[in-house]
Amino acid sequence: MEQLSDTKQRILDVSLKLFSQNGYSATSVREIARNVGVRESAIYNHFRGKDDIIETLFNIYGWGKAQRYIDKLKDDNKLLDDPKNYFKSIILDGILDIVCNEEGNKFKKVVMMEMFCTDTARNIVNKELFSKAREYLSEIFNEMMSAGVIKRCNPFTLSNQFLAPLMFINLEYLLNEKKGVNYFKKEIEAHIDFFWQTVSL
């Protein structure tokens, strides 16, 4: 991932804060510039506009983060050598970071608030979350089937079965984060155990 300049990072940080407080639609580029402490034209030196800002945030905190994690998994042979323990020892930490990441969850709140109001947020959810997430996971599950470590079934359906409870857990965290990370770690562990009992040979 590219190294961002201090000004560009500051624009993203302030935008995320304002989007999560006021909503994406209600936040103007002028307001972002004022809170960053730069002229409005300076925002356009780094971004094409507000849509570009939210798409960049999604790449950092949303599916982009998950995609980088899945790409790493696909290149790790340990995934096929001992998949159950790999899921529990390696994948668990990555999922936990996605579920319990404070900045990432600010962004998720923005998308959830806006996805029924703006085309930008709706397209992000449809394309990046539902399409790409399932596509990448399907590739991983196909590899596992070919290696003979899980039952043969529709990989797209399998991806849904793996992702849906995690989305539910993430939503619960957004609503009840006071329960603490350990509570959600146990929830994710229980999901991985149940999932693996269902699909393993």
Side-chain angles (χ1 to χ4, degrees), residues 8 31 33 39 43 47-48 54 60 87 92 96 100 109 115 131 153 172 181 194 196:
K8 190 169 186 176
E31 186 178 4
R39 293 182 178 182
I43 303 295
F47 299 97
R48 295 185 302 273
I54 200 168
I60 295 170
F87 264 71
L92 173 62
L96 196 62
C100 301
K109 290 175 183 177
M115 67 181 177
S131 297
C153 59
E172 184 181 13
V181 173
F194 182 80
W196 199 256

Side-chain angles (χ1 to χ4, degrees), residues 44-168:
Y44 293 101
N45 290 334
H46 298 279
F47 299 97
R48 295 185 302 273
K50 220 169 50 161
D51 285 1
D52 192 22
I53 292 174
I54 200 168
E55 286 169 8
T56 302
L57 287 169
F58 195 88
N59 186 51
I60 295 170
Y61 297 115
W63 168 244
K65 181 174 184 177
Q67 181 177 347
R68 289 187 292 275
Y69 186 70
I70 289 177
D71 284 342
K72 184 179 177 183
L73 295 183
K74 289 166 70 177
D75 293 333
D76 195 333
N77 292 329
K78 293 177 184 175
L79 177 64
L80 298 179
D81 293 339
D82 189 2
K84 181 179 179 180
N85 287 327
Y86 190 85
F87 264 71
K88 293 207 64 174
S89 63
I90 305 297
I91 294 180
L92 173 62
D93 290 337
I95 294 172
L96 196 62
D97 181 51
I98 290 170
V99 169
C100 301
N101 182 279
E102 183 179 350
E103 294 300 299
N105 283 325
K106 282 182 189 175
F107 180 75
K108 290 169 196 167
K109 290 175 183 177
V110 174
V111 173
M112 289 174 66
M113 285 190 291
E114 298 292 332
M115 67 181 177
F116 298 109
C117 304
T118 67
D119 288 339
T120 299
R122 185 162 40 251
N123 290 338
I124 284 174
V125 172
N126 279 328
K127 178 185 175 184
E128 304 292 340
L129 181 58
F130 289 112
S131 297
K132 284 191 176 179
R134 290 187 291 200
E135 177 186 334
Y136 273 73
L137 277 176
S138 292
E139 288 179 20
I140 289 176
F141 289 137
N142 259 325
E143 285 185 33
M144 289 181 160
M145 289 179 211
S146 297
V149 296
I150 63 173
K151 298 173 184 174
R152 289 210 162 269
C153 59
N154 186 318
F156 188 81
T157 302
L158 208 55
S159 298
N160 284 340
Q161 296 297 318
F162 186 72
L163 284 171
L166 294 176
M167 292 180 183
F168 186 84

